[in-house]
Amino acid sequence: MNKSISSSQFQLMEETKLFVKNEIPRQLLLDMDAEVVRYPHEFIQNLARNHLLGIRFPKKYGGRGLDWSHEVLALEEIGVLGASLACLFSLPSIVGEAINVFGSDYQKANYLKNILNGSISVAEALTEPRGGSDFFGATTEAKKDGDNFILNGQKRFIVGAEGADLFMVYARTGALNEKHNSMSAFLVERSKGLEVEHVYGLMGTRGGGTGRVRFKNVKVPFKNILGEVNRAEEIFNQMMIPERMTSAAGALGLARTALEIAAKYSDKRKAFGQRIREFEGVNFKISESLTRLDAARALVGMTGRMIDSGEPAGKIRRLVSESKKFATETAWFVVNEAMQIMGGIGYTNVYPIERLLRDARLMLIWTGTNEIMNLVIQHEYFKELFKSPSSSRDVEGDAINSNLEDEKIYE
Ligand SMILES: Cc1cc2nc3c(=O)[nH]c(=O)nc-3n(C[C@H](O)[C@H](O)[C@H](O)COP(=O)(O)OP(=O)(O)OC[C@H]3O[C@@H](n4cnc5c(N)ncnc54)[C@H](O)[C@@H]3O)c2cc1C
């Protein structure tokens, strides 16, 4: 029992750990990496059977009614399996967030419930060939036609696209120059005119059905609009919480497992007549990796608690972005150090470090690049800094010459 977490958090963590240990065949991971398996349907079914989908969503829709402080613990355990399975585990949490917060009763009963019981697989389609970071510049459009919208355009790099029954799609319903007030979010069933093409040549994160999605006059009934027409910005902001928290918490598991493999190796491998873990050049890498990993876990855990306690949206946005940036950069650092500790054998497929390294690299790019995280972090910080007079001590005044106003020229 870990005394710093509640018994229900501990139980969920242990349950997920056992699921990861016992329910995922080694062959599935190998086949996904080799793209023999292009979409692991069975994994989603298995998660649903084990009631691991929708941890945060209401019990009446099949969720567990828990919170972020629980979900991050489960995510870390799933992260041990690598980025593809962690992402497929996360998609119901991401798309589910939009439906749970903004969806109609019909959408919750018809979609959220079936996503959580595993009878509907989902994908989220934001990124377009013309740009991902510039999300509000997206050009996929939806035109009203009687009781329907007609979708035309394309999205790329969509995880789960090959197996999804339902796509959450953002499309333009207003004028392009209205950028932030002209996008709407749709729940689009796989139907006539929606075509998925396999994306070849991914460095890692394979076997998760990543594809290009084309919409050619796809008919979407009005009842499948999420929230209000032209108001998708609000949904986007809400969805970025699970989008980025899942990346952050999943990265912890990947890093943890890479570090464990390398640390155990360093205890067995000998050079110059001694175990390599006895060389400072090796064991300091372990210290540094572990310290960063613990710091990342603390940040992700704190952010989870802040979301649960309903802190202001701007502060949540900053912390979620910090968590995504720091945890993914930590994972990249740790997995590289793990490879270095293992020497040449770490670079081969005798150990899974090379696969974890290929997976980890993507984490700095997806769900918003870490440059975009920096953009958000400083933006929200400046807003907080100037919002209200500070209640802290005026330390600027503690300098000897703080009263020399003529020296305080800023322009
Ligand atoms: C394997 C894979 C899976 C993915 N899964 C999904 C998915 O399921 N659904 C989905 O919708 N998307 C998905 N993505 C897309 C991913 O989120 C985007 O690739 C990412 O957001 C970056 O967008 P981009 O590729 O268009 O790069 P660009 O936006 O073109 O960025 C290129 C570079 O410019 C930098 N840049 C751009 N704007 C700024 C700025 N204002 N300040 C500083 N730097 C800037 C970026 O940081 C980056 O370094 C996936 C991508 C991959 C590769």
Side-chain angles (χ1 to χ4, degrees), residues 96-373:
E97 175 88 4
I99 304 177
N100 188 41
V101 178
F102 298 94
S104 62
D105 290 344
Y106 158 78
Q107 290 165 350
K108 290 179 189 172
N110 201 38
Y111 294 120
L112 186 57
K113 211 168 178 174
N114 287 319
I115 294 168
L116 302 191
N117 69 25
S119 49
I120 290 182
S121 298
V122 286
E124 53 146 1
L126 284 79
T127 306
E128 301 195 353
R130 285 214 173 80
S133 307
D134 185 12
F135 170 71
F136 289 96
T139 57
T140 292
E141 60 172 20
K143 288 220 162 106
K144 198 152 184 323
D145 179 29
D147 291 337
N148 297 299
F149 275 88
I150 306 293
L151 246 70
N152 278 291
Q154 57 172 300
K155 302 281 176 176
R156 75 170 174 189
F157 303 140
I158 308 307
V159 176
E162 292 203 43
D165 309 294
L166 183 73
F167 297 78
M168 193 194 152
V169 181
Y170 288 86
R172 186 159 303 288
T173 38
L176 190 56
N177 59 3
E178 284 282 326
K179 261 194 149 179
H180 290 260
N181 295 313
S182 61
M183 298 272 271
S184 305
F186 299 88
L187 294 169
V188 183
E189 293 186 19
R190 189 181 284 269
S191 54
K192 192 164 162 270
L194 188 154
E195 293 165 12
V196 173
E197 294 161 14
H198 184 59
V199 172
Y200 294 97
L202 292 180
M203 174 181 172
T205 317
R206 298 182 186 147
T210 303
R212 179 182 291 262
V213 185
R214 291 187 197 277
F215 306 95
K216 294 179 182 165
N217 294 317
V218 176
K219 210 185 252 189
V220 186
F222 199 79
K223 64 182 182 198
N224 278 28
I225 278 220
L226 263 170
E228 290 172 42
V229 177
N230 291 335
R231 299 295 302 275
E233 182 176 14
E234 215 184 324
I235 302 176
F236 173 83
N237 285 336
Q238 183 71 28
M239 261 179 84
M240 287 305 110
I241 297 175
E243 174 105 358
R244 291 165 182 169
M245 284 300 281
T246 52
S247 284
L252 300 176
L254 186 148
R256 187 185 85 202
T257 204
L259 181 60
E260 278 171 11
I261 292 167
K264 284 180 187 160
Y265 180 85
S266 75
D267 189 55
K268 288 190 258 187
R269 174 75 172 168
K270 288 190 171 157
F272 300 95
Q274 66 184 62
R275 293 178 303 165
I276 60 167
R277 63 169 277 203
E278 286 157 19
F279 295 115
E280 193 174 291
V282 171
N283 61 38
F284 275 22
K285 283 186 177 26
I286 292 173
S287 307
E288 182 65 24
S289 297
L290 194 58
T291 306
R292 292 196 198 190
L293 182 54
D294 281 336
R297 186 180 293 112
L299 178 58
V300 171
M302 181 188 79
T303 304
R305 291 193 297 281
M306 293 282 189
I307 306 168
D308 293 338
S309 61
E311 290 287 325
K315 186 170 185 185
I316 299 294
R317 236 187 328 274
R318 172 169 67 77
L319 287 169
V320 166
S321 305
E322 289 176 17
S323 293
K324 192 271 177 181
K325 170 186 146 77
F326 189 61
T328 58
E329 284 171 5
T330 296
W332 179 237
F333 175 82
V334 170
V335 76
N336 272 281
E337 292 295 76
M339 185 175 276
Q340 196 67 22
I341 287 169
M342 297 184 68
I345 201 73
Y347 192 68
T348 72
N349 60 10
V350 173
Y351 288 91
I353 299 295
E354 60 83 28
R355 173 172 57 80
L356 296 174
L357 184 136
R358 287 187 279 115
D359 278 13
R361 187 61 186 85
L362 177 63
M363 294 175 169
L364 282 65
I365 297 171
W366 73 2
T367 67
T369 65
N370 285 5
E371 289 77 18
I372 295 300
M373 296 309 101

Side-chain angles (χ1 to χ4, degrees), residues 16-28:
T16 319
K17 196 176 278 176
L18 279 181
F19 172 83
V20 166
K21 185 175 177 188
N22 300 328
E23 304 267 339
I24 312 299
R26 161 184 183 269
Q27 197 58 42
L28 177 66

